[in-house]
Amino acid sequence: MQVTDCTVKNTSSGVSDPEALFRTLQAAKTEIDTLKQQLCQARQQLDWFKRQLFGRKSEKRIIDNPHQLDLGELLGDTPVPAEPEPEEITYRRRKRTKQRSEDDVTDSGLRFGPEVPVEVIELSAPQLEGPAAEQYEVIDYKISHRLAQLPGSYVVMEYRRPILKHKPSARLMEVPAPSAVFEGSLADVSLLAGLLVDKFCYHLPLYRQHQRLKDAGITLSRSTLTNYVQRSIELLQPIYDAQWQHILQSRVLAMDETPIKAGRKKKGQMKASWYWPIYGENDEICFTWSDSRGSAHIEQQLEGFSGVLLSDGYAAYDRYARNKPGITQAQCWAHTRRYFERASKSDPAAEEALTLIGGLYRVEQQIREKELAGEEKLAYRSHHALPIVDAFFAWCHNQCQRMDLVNSDPLAKALVYAENHRGQLKAYLSDPAVPIDTNHLGRALRVIPMGRKNWLFCWSEVGAKQVGIIQSLLTTCRLHQVDPYTYLVDVLQRVALHPARDVEELTPRGWKERFAANPLHSDLDHAH
């Protein structure tokens, strides 16, 4: 680094100029402070990358510090929710007298339901086949199980349709072929459902499924598979629209955004776009798509909505909720906590904020354990969580008075984030239906980044919208414990025959109530 001469000569008197020297020193100090901030930011970025590559991704805290801040010290005499008393469980264990057999070890970890097919293999006893077979008799069977796997298999169904001749008139007639999802198509509904489930539930791209078909000895072009997927999703579009309209009737919505590359921008580069998943009150979710991350998409999608919008601190949500008396904005505490979690790496004082926020989550855990709802839940939050929230913001105010904090410090950014959303963070305390965070939405939208790691991008904007449609239905199936394959096999056959006015009955929520007990099957299931 080049060192600047800090001495400036006065041409008239020959002595150094104190003011010029002071200005030079101030400039040097400013430059040194800037370099320190840049070095601190570089270290933070390096720590973040190390954590992403080698560290824990979970944000759960492992409290092993004996000097950890005690929440009771901050709240004083305010009652803090007590930890549940440990339950003492006693039991007697019989002493093992012999070595466990291989069958016993295998059976101990295998659990399966009645829907799992079981192939019974009869083992013959050599004693029953020899000359002394009459001396033995079977008195019982010992049953053991082993889990087996069949490779991904495909079946060609051959329909043998009789051709009849009417003897008096010599007229020929034939039995019509069973109706298919797509007229004249070679694909059974089971194949269509399997393609969708493999691609969007298990994130198996079509080119891999095409390879699997080839390995099974079946020749089918990849463009045909793509056509099957696109046409199947087009059939499901009315069901998605009905689910979306039902979600908008919710009083509390959770909303987030996640990126996806869709459409070609130029050679070798794809366009940036976003999915905006919206989670309703009845465990339903819709992945809306937009080529923009601005508030205009929120305005368009939530037109006519009135209620509580739960989100993170992204400014687009603030712009949307501003000057809308029918919208109450609630803030996610998990996103707020994340700021302080990052700040704790450089400033130990942030641990106090993490302790306080952890107290709020303990309150929510106890509410779930006590199965509280409605006014009881609201009263419990007011009595236990509200004092912790007040202590949190009092601590934030005290931290803001520190003279050693600069705007670029992670803790300063966390404090500004929390203070700017104070009202939204308190919103859940006045409404028992509002969750403390958007973690339920975050778990549901994982299908997008997981799929993105496998199929990377969408070739077109239309394809991105179709991915949002099918993921909305399949993710909602998982939320309602509905088997996606069984659901798709049924609705792909039923949607063309079902009255349009009752299409909401075909959403996963409605289908579970109306048709799950007796779903439609494919011809392959009937053959078996």
Side-chain angles (χ1 to χ4, degrees):
M1 177 184 294
Q2 182 179 0
V3 180
T4 304
D5 188 0
C6 297
T7 304
V8 179
K9 298 293 184 181
N10 188 316
T11 56
S12 60
S13 60
V15 297
S16 60
D17 186 352
E19 295 183 359
L21 177 62
F22 178 76
R23 288 193 298 268
T24 305
L25 292 175
Q26 283 292 101
K29 182 178 181 300
T30 303
E31 183 178 358
I32 291 174
D33 292 340
T34 303
L35 291 175
K36 287 182 177 179
Q37 294 177 10
Q38 293 176 351
L39 178 60
C40 181
Q41 293 175 358
R43 286 176 176 172
Q44 293 169 8
Q45 293 175 358
L46 180 60
D47 291 340
W48 184 86
F49 280 115
K50 285 182 177 179
R51 176 174 175 176
Q52 295 303 308
L53 289 174
F54 311 113
R56 295 174 65 248
K57 301 296 190 302
S58 174
E59 295 179 358
K60 292 183 179 180
R61 302 178 67 204
I62 302 177
I63 301 177
D64 55 1
N65 183 5
H67 303 293
Q68 181 72 41
L69 176 67
D70 185 4
L71 191 60
E73 296 178 1
L74 288 176
L75 300 181
D77 297 332
T78 303
V80 179
E83 294 289 339
E85 295 184 1
E87 180 182 359
E88 183 178 354
I89 300 176
T90 60
Y91 63 93
R92 299 177 63 186
R93 182 175 63 182
R94 184 175 59 183
K95 184 177 180 181
R96 187 169 59 188
T97 57
K98 62 179 181 179
Q99 189 72 20
R100 298 174 63 183
S101 67
E102 180 182 353
D103 292 338
D104 295 335
V105 176
T106 304
D107 291 345
S108 65
L110 182 60
R111 303 290 183 269
F112 55 90
E115 71 279 2
V116 178
V118 177
E119 187 75 23
V120 178
I121 300 176
E122 297 285 350
L123 299 181
S124 60
Q127 294 83 350
L128 298 178
E129 299 177 358
E134 296 180 355
Q135 300 180 10
Y136 297 92
E137 64 175 345
V138 178
I139 60 173
D140 199 356
Y141 288 91
K142 182 178 181 180
I143 306 298
S144 61
H145 298 93
R146 292 180 184 177
L147 184 62
Q149 179 181 357
L150 292 174
S153 58
Y154 300 90
V155 177
V156 176
M157 296 186 298
E158 178 180 324
Y159 292 92
R160 298 176 59 85
R161 297 179 287 152
I163 301 176
L164 306 178
K165 178 181 178 180
H166 186 244
K167 294 181 179 179
S169 62
R171 183 167 54 92
L172 299 179
M173 62 184 67
E174 64 181 28
V175 177
S179 59
V181 176
F182 305 126
E183 186 176 356
S185 173
L186 298 175
D188 182 65
V189 65
S190 59
L191 177 66
L192 302 178
L195 289 173
L196 294 175
V197 169
D198 284 347
K199 178 173 174 60
F200 297 107
C201 282
Y202 304 113
H203 316 293
L204 190 66
L206 287 182
Y207 83 89
R208 295 182 191 168
Q209 298 191 50
H210 181 261
Q211 291 174 344
R212 190 169 63 183
L213 277 165
K214 187 176 180 180
D215 293 341
I218 299 174
T219 302
L220 203 62
S221 67
R222 195 186 305 177
S223 61
T224 301
L225 300 183
T226 303
N227 185 42
Y228 287 159
V229 169
Q230 292 176 346
R231 294 179 65 186
S232 299
I233 296 177
E234 289 173 359
L235 276 180
L236 301 174
Q237 171 85 46
I239 303 177
Y240 166 84
D241 294 337
Q243 179 166 294
W244 170 239
Q245 292 302 318
H246 186 265
I247 287 177
L248 287 181
Q249 299 174 14
S250 302
R251 195 177 63 82
V252 179
L253 293 181
M255 193 171 187
D256 205 343
E257 73 283 340
T258 185
I260 184 67
K261 294 180 180 179
R264 183 176 177 179
K265 185 176 183 180
K266 59 182 180 181
K267 185 176 181 180
Q269 185 176 359
M270 306 296 291
K271 294 180 182 178
S273 60
W274 285 265
Y275 284 115
W276 297 74
I278 303 175
Y279 197 109
E281 288 181 323
N282 297 102
D283 288 331
E284 293 176 305
I285 187 172
C286 274
F287 292 88
T288 62
W289 176 87
S290 173
D291 58 358
S292 169
R293 202 179 175 218
S295 59
H297 180 74
I298 309 177
E299 295 275 0
Q300 177 186 2
Q301 296 299 318
L302 300 186
E303 183 179 0
F305 169 71
S306 178
V308 180
L309 179 62
L310 176 63
S311 65
D312 57 17
Y314 180 42
Y317 301 111
D318 297 335
R319 290 193 296 269
Y320 163 76
R322 191 179 301 130
N323 301 325
K324 286 185 174 60
I327 300 297
T328 300
Q329 191 177 8
Q331 180 72 34
C332 170
W333 273 95
H335 284 79
T336 305
R337 182 192 181 280
R338 196 164 296 148
Y339 277 83
F340 289 97
E341 197 270 338
R342 294 169 182 168
S344 64
K345 302 294 185 296
S346 58
D347 195 330
E351 291 289 338
E352 301 182 11
L354 296 177
T355 300
L356 288 167
I357 297 175
L360 297 178
Y361 277 87
R362 285 196 295 272
V363 173
E364 294 301 307
Q365 179 182 359
Q366 292 172 1
I367 289 176
R368 291 191 296 269
E369 292 173 352
K370 296 177 182 293
E371 299 181 351
L372 302 180
E375 293 298 324
E376 293 182 347
K377 182 178 180 180
L378 182 62
Y380 198 90
R381 279 178 173 176
S382 300
H383 185 66
H384 296 92
L386 180 58
I388 302 177
V389 173
D390 292 338
F392 171 80
F393 284 108
W395 177 86
C396 289
H397 177 75
N398 292 334
Q399 291 296 311
C400 288
Q401 312 307 314
R402 287 172 49 180
M403 300 300 296
D404 58 332
L405 278 182
V406 295
N407 294 337
S408 59
D409 286 346
L411 181 57
K413 295 179 181 179
L415 294 171
V416 170
Y417 182 90
E419 287 290 345
N420 289 344
H421 299 91
R422 178 193 291 253
Q424 294 92 322
L425 287 170
K426 286 187 174 183
Y428 90 103
L429 296 173
S430 57
D431 191 338
V434 179
I436 190 175
D437 54 33
T438 59
N439 284 352
H440 59 298
L441 173 59
R443 290 188 293 269
L445 67 81
R446 285 178 183 171
V447 294
I448 298 298
M450 289 183 65
R452 194 171 56 219
K453 290 182 178 180
N454 290 272
W455 35 261
L456 302 180
F457 54 83
C458 298
W459 272 115
S460 65
E461 291 85 347
V462 175
K465 293 179 181 179
Q466 290 190 335
V467 170
I469 291 172
I470 187 62
Q471 285 292 15
S472 300
L473 298 179
L474 296 182
T475 304
T476 304
C477 281
R478 295 298 180 102
L479 293 174
H480 286 269
Q481 289 82 47
V482 171
D483 177 50
Y485 177 82
T486 303
Y487 170 77
L488 288 176
V489 167
D490 180 280
V491 297
L492 284 173
Q493 300 176 86
R494 196 186 297 272
V495 65
L497 307 175
H498 202 73
R501 65 179 182 274
D502 298 328
V503 68
E504 187 179 326
E505 296 177 350
L506 299 184
T507 62
R509 174 187 54 83
W511 183 87
K512 182 179 181 180
E513 299 174 357
R514 291 292 307 275
F515 306 110
N518 189 25
L520 298 178
H521 299 283
S522 69
D523 290 342
L524 181 62
D525 296 327
H526 293 307
H528 289 174

